[in-house]
Amino acid sequence: MTLLHDDRLFPADAATRAVARRIYNEVKDLPLICPHGHTDPRWYAENSAFPDPARLFVVPDHYIFRMLYSQGIRLEDLGIPTVDGSPVEEDPRKIWRLFAANYHLFRGTPTRMWMDHAFATLFGIKERLSAANADAIYDSIAGQLATDAFRPRALFEQFNIEVIATTESPLDDLAHHAAIRDSGWKGRVVTAYRPDPVVDPDFDGFRDNVRRFGEITDTDVSTFAGYREAHRKRRQFFKSFGATSTDHGHPTARTADLSPVEVEALYARVMAQGQVTPEDAELFRAQMLTEMAALSLEDGLVMQIHPGSQRNHNPGLFARFGRDKGADIPSATNYVRDLKPLLDRFGNERDLTVILFTLDETAYSRELAPLAGHYPCLRLGPAWWFYDSPEGMRRYRELVTETAGFYNTVGFNDDTRAFPSIPARHDVARRVDCAYLAELVVTHRLDEDEAAEVAHDLAYRLAKEAYKL
Amino acid sequence: MTLLHDDRLFPADAATRAVARRIYNEVKDLPLICPHGHTDPRWYAENSAFPDPARLFVVPDHYIFRMLYSQGIRLEDLGIPTVDGSPVEEDPRKIWRLFAANYHLFRGTPTRMWMDHAFATLFGIKERLSAANADAIYDSIAGQLATDAFRPRALFEQFNIEVIATTESPLDDLAHHAAIRDSGWKGRVVTAYRPDPVVDPDFDGFRDNVRRFGEITDTDVSTFAGYREAHRKRRQFFKSFGATSTDHGHPTARTADLSPVEVEALYARVMAQGQVTPEDAELFRAQMLTEMAALSLEDGLVMQIHPGSQRNHNPGLFARFGRDKGADIPSATNYVRDLKPLLDRFGNERDLTVILFTLDETAYSRELAPLAGHYPCLRLGPAWWFYDSPEGMRRYRELVTETAGFYNTVGFNDDTRAFPSIPARHDVARRVDCAYLAELVVTHRLDEDEAAEVAHDLAYRLAKEAYKL
Amino acid sequence: MTLLHDDRLFPADAATRAVARRIYNEVKDLPLICPHGHTDPRWYAENSAFPDPARLFVVPDHYIFRMLYSQGIRLEDLGIPTVDGSPVEEDPRKIWRLFAANYHLFRGTPTRMWMDHAFATLFGIKERLSAANADAIYDSIAGQLATDAFRPRALFEQFNIEVIATTESPLDDLAHHAAIRDSGWKGRVVTAYRPDPVVDPDFDGFRDNVRRFGEITDTDVSTFAGYREAHRKRRQFFKSFGATSTDHGHPTARTADLSPVEVEALYARVMAQGQVTPEDAELFRAQMLTEMAALSLEDGLVMQIHPGSQRNHNPGLFARFGRDKGADIPSATNYVRDLKPLLDRFGNERDLTVILFTLDETAYSRELAPLAGHYPCLRLGPAWWFYDSPEGMRRYRELVTETAGFYNTVGFNDDTRAFPSIPARHDVARRVDCAYLAELVVTHRLDEDEAAEVAHDLAYRLAKEAYKL
């Protein structure tokens, strides 16, 4: 028995599988370009050992605990910390056993593939995780984690990561990035500018965040002009730590292009005492996307828009456990209408790159591919979040390629905070893309030499170029 | 020539087909769990012979006459009764000939598969129905229908039905269920509580229905508190006839959670003289979903929500032929927004089960799988109505599994009033699921022993457990 | 090396491919029925040689230049004429080289298939277009274009076109159609009535158009009654040039059914001085769809509705280059709600044919198939525009067939202004349909003799009958 079959995710048909194999063999060992993700820069800065299997794999992974929670398992029993500090399970072995006993819940999910890949390739596990072997596998992983070969920098090198971007708030001092830079370590870790805490009036502590933002940047943020200047300065600071991109996680894709007078009035309203209206909050976020595009035209940062997640859909869970606990739910997103103000102003710019993501797959063929297949500034990010999965990636290619081609897409990014899953995620993407290309080859829609070139572009070149890495 | 090939619906690829066959062979003879449907309990109570082939297969099946009607065939010529009693075709043989002459219209549809399955397995027909053999097949079926082996209870046993649920209004006296119970027959037929006639202010005769509801339950329904109490009592009565579930067929998935004062005021408005506003009607239905969830937490009935059908889209047809004549059309449904009030109150309950269905396939991956993959109270019903079909089921699995897994789904239900199609429908579901699982196996996403276990769960265990049968 | 493989677009599985081949061989040489498209009737009237490869293939094809534009290539460099006449590239060879050097951008798109098909079958090209062979291929095509065998009528005959419809405004004098008729040439070219310029208040010059419409038809259009009468007359004129259909390209599918008094008042408002409100413009378009249906019931013209394109989404591009430059973007379309007024009035008419198209694929299974599978007047047009592609057509069949069957669809139309691509487009449709049918056969959902009959219907008969050609 083996956890990983060499032909996994390749088409069943023998002729197609043979083509997929050939193409994949040319790209499987390419270095990993990780232009967007949420790993913790502290890991690379401090290079401490990961604590234990539960805290490495289970506790930080919202894919895992959302599935367990959906089947009636309490987050307390998985060691998820509570907001008020009330006690939760502390014994990593117990948490691990609970995970192992419910491993069947992940059948057919990408989590299962990522886990098996990490278990097999990193830790040499040969058996499927279950209640029966939970302790043995725990011990094996725990033992290896304690060795130097499993510290973050060693794994980074073993993973063959050419460059990885983390994601920080403008309020972050980038101290970990400074520590990495000063350490002499050769691993390339860059930051990315994610200004939601100072751009979204609905963000916790928004006004205090903006005031701190002014202090940090030594800028008077009492006017919008000053606030905008603070962004310009802070983006430069982020660029000095390698940032090549910004990232924007708004509930919708709405953009706006108000006059300077209107913007100042809007800024005054969202910064004034009292409750911001939902309309003003949405309009301010919308305007800020267009402002960020304007700044990107100046400083060259690539802009990522990740819209359409209704965050914290479960108020009871949010009150007890806080953000990012698996209760973010997608919603329908209208790109054609919502992006128009930004596109009316900057859509034809060839020196601007705006990378669009979606949690609404109906937009792929109806809106995103037609938009990206026309506007020079637009590119499409890979299948995201719930769709970072074999079927999700296949639908993405099938729905996008015929209208936007391959070259209006930007290759893969893993978007993860689960460090050990990074090689697995890239490998899944490479395999699914090679399977898709092989089908084009055997149905004579593409020659095999072209398919090989496209596979290389999707696995490596496009991400590197689109993100200017 | 044979009407049914042993390998129907299995993947074309030989290796995948072999896996599908192996898995299917383990589940094909499992008893049928039928937790939701619309067969007539009178059949099992009276056990009379079905009248003739036309009245068994054509006249009651809206899948059939909607297709024929769409191609210009008059419903009168199919024997569909008119509201005003004006005459329609009475000769079953003529109706059958019209159906047979147009059998080609069903090419590629599930109706064709269900018919062929029933023709072949129940009646031993070996030829495809056509104008040429219409009379011969009519005679063959008619002759067999007259025998005892084709009476409802005999078919029930031949079909290997372990349990079947019918669906009744709270105004129903469940006399047929009482007759079944008192008959000594061993077949297990249970009811389900479908309160639309007393919950939907747009339902024909709503206020009279509510008044009768009060009488039947011996409860004062002049206040909402009383009306709610009537539901509590009537649900107990339904439970005494085996009900384990309620069912709700609303135009949207909207829920509400009003204060007691607001609810009383709303109830007073919908029960008062004069036209109910569309907003009030919608709000009352919305509130009642949340009330039903509250009652389910008390009495343990599983809650089914079947939203999103715009009933009676064709007013001319409705005036002449009434409800359920193939003129119900799906519409877009927003679960993330509409279910929030109910979920805010009960979403984290582990002792509540709410099973969601959809006629809007865009919700599978964007809304339903993310919701069911998080909230403990939620489960996903199988592909419904127009999507109770091979492609519909395949899309369901492909769009749902990666986010919600298999264990947030509840197996199959046939949802039919077409009794002879029940084995065919379960067989299609088992085959399509086995085909899907076989593809996971040959692409090395799932081990075959796991696939076999999942196949068993989907064919039998999950429905039984989710519906507490 | 060959540009066209005999098995292109057939399933990879050998058994399925064999069935697809057999079915396809029966339909591949059927004459082409082209019931809807945008070729220029001048070509057939004047029968002049096409000027050069760039002006034949690149300059008129919005699929091509939208892709090149999306990757930063200027439309000026592709020879696209500007509105103000400012100079653009005039050298066809330079334009061709730019296209050839970027031919890789079309990998995986239908444009690539159409081009390769035309290159191979019309011009005998054997190599994939590239920067290296751009000049040689240019010279080869240019040389052949100068010969009589490549004039429009000769190509029309070589393409085996049985009948082709062009699309004209009511303001067109149909002089080219008259010239074709008077020429004695046997090729059958008919017109179609596309009244958008006199029906859409947002159309450039709408009121002047209506006034000219009155003059042309010698009708007093100062009242709606007169304006409607002008349509009746002009439709007769179009019928005298072979028209069998009308076509309507509205931003939404909205219909209305106002009283005569309301219609007159609305007409007065849209024709009065000053800006028409967006609501009135939309309502007038909506009402006109219902009026057109009423006229179709009188005169028998088949009605096509092509809704859901947001035209000229890019105002900068529109100002410089005008309409139809690849900046039309689809948007979500609600057929169930929007068509209701028209369907309430005419939905049950068996002597009316309304053919629905969509740019919103979510409507296929949720709205369009359920509607067409019920209403006698409705039929579904083939996969349109961005979905006139292998994956688009496959999704169409998978999403539509199970509910609406094959016989509520109308076969293929090419909808193109790119004359040399016509055989390629029909060939793609025939191959994809045969591939789909072959899958039904090998999964035993359809017998092969039936599949062959359906293939013939889809390739030839249904279009001819639905459009009354």
Side-chain angles (χ1 to χ4, degrees), chain A residues 15 17 40 44 101 109 144-145 173 175 190 207 230 248 290 301 324 346 364 376 390 455:
Chain A
R17 182 168 285 197
D40 189 341
Y44 316 117
T109 72
Q144 296 179 68
L145 281 182
D173 60 9
V190 302
R207 286 175 196 142
H248 309 277
T290 310
L301 290 183
D324 298 327
F346 297 121
Y364 283 149

mmCIF file of all heavy atoms in Angstrom, chain A residues 15 17 40 44 101 109 144-145 173 175 190 207 230 248 290 301 324 346 364 376 390 455:
data_model
loop_
_atom_site.group_PDB
_atom_site.id
_atom_site.type_symbol
_atom_site.label_atom_id
_atom_site.label_comp_id
_atom_site.label_asym_id
_atom_site.label_seq_id
_atom_site.Cartn_x
_atom_site.Cartn_y
_atom_site.Cartn_z
ATOM 1 N N ALA A 15 -4.207 6.453 -23.243
ATOM 2 C CA ALA A 15 -3.480 7.330 -24.173
ATOM 3 C C ALA A 15 -3.364 8.738 -23.606
ATOM 4 O O ALA A 15 -2.309 9.382 -23.694
ATOM 5 C CB ALA A 15 -4.205 7.353 -25.519
ATOM 6 N N ARG A 17 -3.517 9.545 -20.460
ATOM 7 C CA ARG A 17 -2.645 9.480 -19.289
ATOM 8 C C ARG A 17 -1.177 9.524 -19.706
ATOM 9 O O ARG A 17 -0.359 10.199 -19.059
ATOM 10 C CB ARG A 17 -2.955 8.213 -18.490
ATOM 11 C CG ARG A 17 -2.145 8.075 -17.238
ATOM 12 C CD ARG A 17 -2.670 6.988 -16.321
ATOM 13 N NE ARG A 17 -3.885 7.414 -15.631
ATOM 14 C CZ ARG A 17 -4.384 6.815 -14.544
ATOM 15 N NH1 ARG A 17 -3.766 5.760 -14.029
ATOM 16 N NH2 ARG A 17 -5.485 7.255 -13.971
ATOM 17 N N ASP A 40 3.417 32.422 8.062
ATOM 18 C CA ASP A 40 3.820 33.386 9.086
ATOM 19 C C ASP A 40 5.310 33.701 8.922
ATOM 20 O O ASP A 40 6.151 32.802 9.050
ATOM 21 C CB ASP A 40 3.556 32.756 10.460
ATOM 22 C CG ASP A 40 3.741 33.755 11.597
ATOM 23 O OD1 ASP A 40 4.401 34.802 11.387
ATOM 24 O OD2 ASP A 40 3.217 33.479 12.684
ATOM 25 N N TYR A 44 10.123 31.848 9.322
ATOM 26 C CA TYR A 44 11.401 31.953 8.592
ATOM 27 C C TYR A 44 12.394 32.818 9.373
ATOM 28 O O TYR A 44 13.596 32.631 9.273
ATOM 29 C CB TYR A 44 11.181 32.546 7.205
ATOM 30 C CG TYR A 44 9.978 31.968 6.497
ATOM 31 C CD1 TYR A 44 8.896 32.772 6.148
ATOM 32 C CD2 TYR A 44 9.917 30.609 6.197
ATOM 33 C CE1 TYR A 44 7.784 32.251 5.511
ATOM 34 C CE2 TYR A 44 8.797 30.073 5.564
ATOM 35 C CZ TYR A 44 7.736 30.894 5.229
ATOM 36 O OH TYR A 44 6.640 30.378 4.606
ATOM 37 N N ALA A 101 -9.538 9.766 13.904
ATOM 38 C CA ALA A 101 -10.756 8.947 13.951
ATOM 39 C C ALA A 101 -11.809 9.445 12.969
ATOM 40 O O ALA A 101 -12.736 8.719 12.630
ATOM 41 C CB ALA A 101 -11.323 8.949 15.371
ATOM 42 N N THR A 109 -12.018 15.104 -0.735
ATOM 43 C CA THR A 109 -11.705 16.531 -0.586
ATOM 44 C C THR A 109 -10.220 16.777 -0.849
ATOM 45 O O THR A 109 -9.392 15.877 -0.700
ATOM 46 C CB THR A 109 -12.024 17.031 0.835
ATOM 47 O OG1 THR A 109 -11.045 16.500 1.743
ATOM 48 C CG2 THR A 109 -13.419 16.594 1.276
ATOM 49 N N GLN A 144 10.141 13.379 14.043
ATOM 50 C CA GLN A 144 10.840 14.040 12.945
ATOM 51 C C GLN A 144 10.796 15.554 13.079
ATOM 52 O O GLN A 144 11.751 16.253 12.731
ATOM 53 C CB GLN A 144 10.245 13.578 11.605
ATOM 54 C CG GLN A 144 10.471 12.080 11.365
ATOM 55 C CD GLN A 144 9.871 11.586 10.056
ATOM 56 O OE1 GLN A 144 10.335 11.942 8.993
ATOM 57 N NE2 GLN A 144 8.838 10.756 10.164
ATOM 58 N N LEU A 145 9.669 16.068 13.588
ATOM 59 C CA LEU A 145 9.544 17.525 13.729
ATOM 60 C C LEU A 145 10.614 18.094 14.651
ATOM 61 O O LEU A 145 10.991 19.270 14.539
ATOM 62 C CB LEU A 145 8.164 17.898 14.290
ATOM 63 C CG LEU A 145 6.993 17.904 13.321
ATOM 64 C CD1 LEU A 145 5.731 18.341 14.049
ATOM 65 C CD2 LEU A 145 7.269 18.823 12.133
ATOM 66 N N ASP A 173 4.989 46.073 11.374
ATOM 67 C CA ASP A 173 6.295 46.740 11.266
ATOM 68 C C ASP A 173 7.281 45.944 10.409
ATOM 69 O O ASP A 173 8.415 46.366 10.215
ATOM 70 C CB ASP A 173 6.873 47.020 12.650
ATOM 71 C CG ASP A 173 7.087 45.737 13.459
ATOM 72 O OD1 ASP A 173 6.954 44.616 12.882
ATOM 73 O OD2 ASP A 173 7.374 45.844 14.658
ATOM 74 N N ALA A 175 8.905 43.437 11.109
ATOM 75 C CA ALA A 175 10.108 43.082 11.879
ATOM 76 C C ALA A 175 10.614 41.697 11.513
ATOM 77 O O ALA A 175 11.834 41.475 11.422
ATOM 78 C CB ALA A 175 9.795 43.134 13.381
ATOM 79 N N VAL A 190 9.163 37.596 0.615
ATOM 80 C CA VAL A 190 8.767 38.990 0.435
ATOM 81 C C VAL A 190 7.401 39.204 1.088
ATOM 82 O O VAL A 190 6.687 38.260 1.388
ATOM 83 C CB VAL A 190 8.715 39.367 -1.059
ATOM 84 C CG1 VAL A 190 10.066 39.131 -1.727
ATOM 85 C CG2 VAL A 190 7.604 38.598 -1.787
ATOM 86 N N ARG A 207 -11.040 53.088 12.822
ATOM 87 C CA ARG A 207 -10.575 54.482 13.003
ATOM 88 C C ARG A 207 -9.270 54.543 13.792
ATOM 89 O O ARG A 207 -8.370 55.322 13.474
ATOM 90 C CB ARG A 207 -11.655 55.308 13.690
ATOM 91 C CG ARG A 207 -12.795 55.611 12.746
ATOM 92 C CD ARG A 207 -13.932 56.325 13.447
ATOM 93 N NE ARG A 207 -15.118 56.251 12.605
ATOM 94 C CZ ARG A 207 -16.358 56.083 13.068
ATOM 95 N NH1 ARG A 207 -16.578 55.992 14.373
ATOM 96 N NH2 ARG A 207 -17.356 56.031 12.241
ATOM 97 N N ALA A 230 -0.332 58.631 3.030
ATOM 98 C CA ALA A 230 0.172 57.601 3.952
ATOM 99 C C ALA A 230 0.284 56.255 3.234
ATOM 100 O O ALA A 230 1.266 55.519 3.419
ATOM 101 C CB ALA A 230 -0.741 57.491 5.173
ATOM 102 N N HIS A 248 -6.520 42.698 -1.744
ATOM 103 C CA HIS A 248 -7.717 43.365 -1.251
ATOM 104 C C HIS A 248 -8.838 42.353 -1.104
ATOM 105 O O HIS A 248 -9.291 41.785 -2.089
ATOM 106 C CB HIS A 248 -8.096 44.494 -2.214
ATOM 107 C CG HIS A 248 -6.931 45.396 -2.497
ATOM 108 N ND1 HIS A 248 -6.569 46.419 -1.666
ATOM 109 C CD2 HIS A 248 -5.979 45.349 -3.468
ATOM 110 C CE1 HIS A 248 -5.459 46.999 -2.123
ATOM 111 N NE2 HIS A 248 -5.084 46.373 -3.224
ATOM 112 N N THR A 290 -10.099 51.817 -6.497
ATOM 113 C CA THR A 290 -9.674 52.668 -7.610
ATOM 114 C C THR A 290 -8.450 53.493 -7.221
ATOM 115 O O THR A 290 -7.524 53.687 -8.023
ATOM 116 C CB THR A 290 -10.844 53.575 -8.035
ATOM 117 O OG1 THR A 290 -12.008 52.749 -8.212
ATOM 118 C CG2 THR A 290 -10.536 54.287 -9.334
ATOM 119 N N LEU A 301 3.208 48.275 -8.154
ATOM 120 C CA LEU A 301 2.724 47.098 -7.416
ATOM 121 C C LEU A 301 1.543 46.471 -8.154
ATOM 122 O O LEU A 301 0.629 47.166 -8.603
ATOM 123 C CB LEU A 301 2.313 47.482 -5.990
ATOM 124 C CG LEU A 301 3.444 47.870 -5.036
ATOM 125 C CD1 LEU A 301 2.884 48.166 -3.634
ATOM 126 C CD2 LEU A 301 4.516 46.795 -4.960
ATOM 127 N N ASP A 324 -11.763 33.878 10.988
ATOM 128 C CA ASP A 324 -11.029 32.836 10.252
ATOM 129 C C ASP A 324 -11.191 31.452 10.865
ATOM 130 O O ASP A 324 -10.238 30.689 10.977
ATOM 131 C CB ASP A 324 -9.528 33.194 10.185
ATOM 132 C CG ASP A 324 -9.278 34.493 9.448
ATOM 133 O OD1 ASP A 324 -10.044 34.787 8.510
ATOM 134 O OD2 ASP A 324 -8.337 35.218 9.803
ATOM 135 N N PHE A 346 -9.053 53.014 -15.705
ATOM 136 C CA PHE A 346 -7.724 52.416 -15.888
ATOM 137 C C PHE A 346 -7.715 51.150 -16.746
ATOM 138 O O PHE A 346 -6.659 50.540 -16.924
ATOM 139 C CB PHE A 346 -7.125 52.058 -14.519
ATOM 140 C CG PHE A 346 -6.876 53.223 -13.625
ATOM 141 C CD1 PHE A 346 -7.474 53.305 -12.377
ATOM 142 C CD2 PHE A 346 -6.032 54.256 -14.030
ATOM 143 C CE1 PHE A 346 -7.237 54.388 -11.532
ATOM 144 C CE2 PHE A 346 -5.796 55.344 -13.198
ATOM 145 C CZ PHE A 346 -6.402 55.409 -11.955
ATOM 146 N N TYR A 364 -16.890 32.831 -14.043
ATOM 147 C CA TYR A 364 -15.753 32.459 -14.908
ATOM 148 C C TYR A 364 -16.059 32.716 -16.382
ATOM 149 O O TYR A 364 -15.353 33.439 -17.068
ATOM 150 C CB TYR A 364 -15.416 30.975 -14.751
ATOM 151 C CG TYR A 364 -14.667 30.575 -13.513
ATOM 152 C CD1 TYR A 364 -14.869 29.307 -12.959
ATOM 153 C CD2 TYR A 364 -13.728 31.402 -12.911
ATOM 154 C CE1 TYR A 364 -14.174 28.888 -11.837
ATOM 155 C CE2 TYR A 364 -13.033 30.994 -11.779
ATOM 156 C CZ TYR A 364 -13.258 29.725 -11.246
ATOM 157 O OH TYR A 364 -12.565 29.315 -10.137
ATOM 158 N N PRO A 376 -6.645 45.165 -21.182
ATOM 159 C CA PRO A 376 -5.207 44.901 -21.025
ATOM 160 C C PRO A 376 -4.745 44.834 -19.576
ATOM 161 O O PRO A 376 -3.771 44.150 -19.279
ATOM 162 C CB PRO A 376 -4.546 46.092 -21.740
ATOM 163 C CG PRO A 376 -5.594 46.653 -22.628
ATOM 164 C CD PRO A 376 -6.918 46.343 -22.005
ATOM 165 N N PRO A 390 -8.996 19.609 -7.310
ATOM 166 C CA PRO A 390 -8.953 19.067 -8.684
ATOM 167 C C PRO A 390 -10.172 19.447 -9.538
ATOM 168 O O PRO A 390 -10.006 19.935 -10.659
ATOM 169 C CB PRO A 390 -8.883 17.546 -8.451
ATOM 170 C CG PRO A 390 -8.173 17.421 -7.148
ATOM 171 C CD PRO A 390 -8.674 18.569 -6.312
ATOM 172 N N ALA A 455 2.323 24.090 -20.190
ATOM 173 C CA ALA A 455 2.475 23.514 -18.848
ATOM 174 C C ALA A 455 3.580 24.219 -18.075
ATOM 175 O O ALA A 455 3.437 24.525 -16.884
ATOM 176 C CB ALA A 455 2.766 22.012 -18.952
#
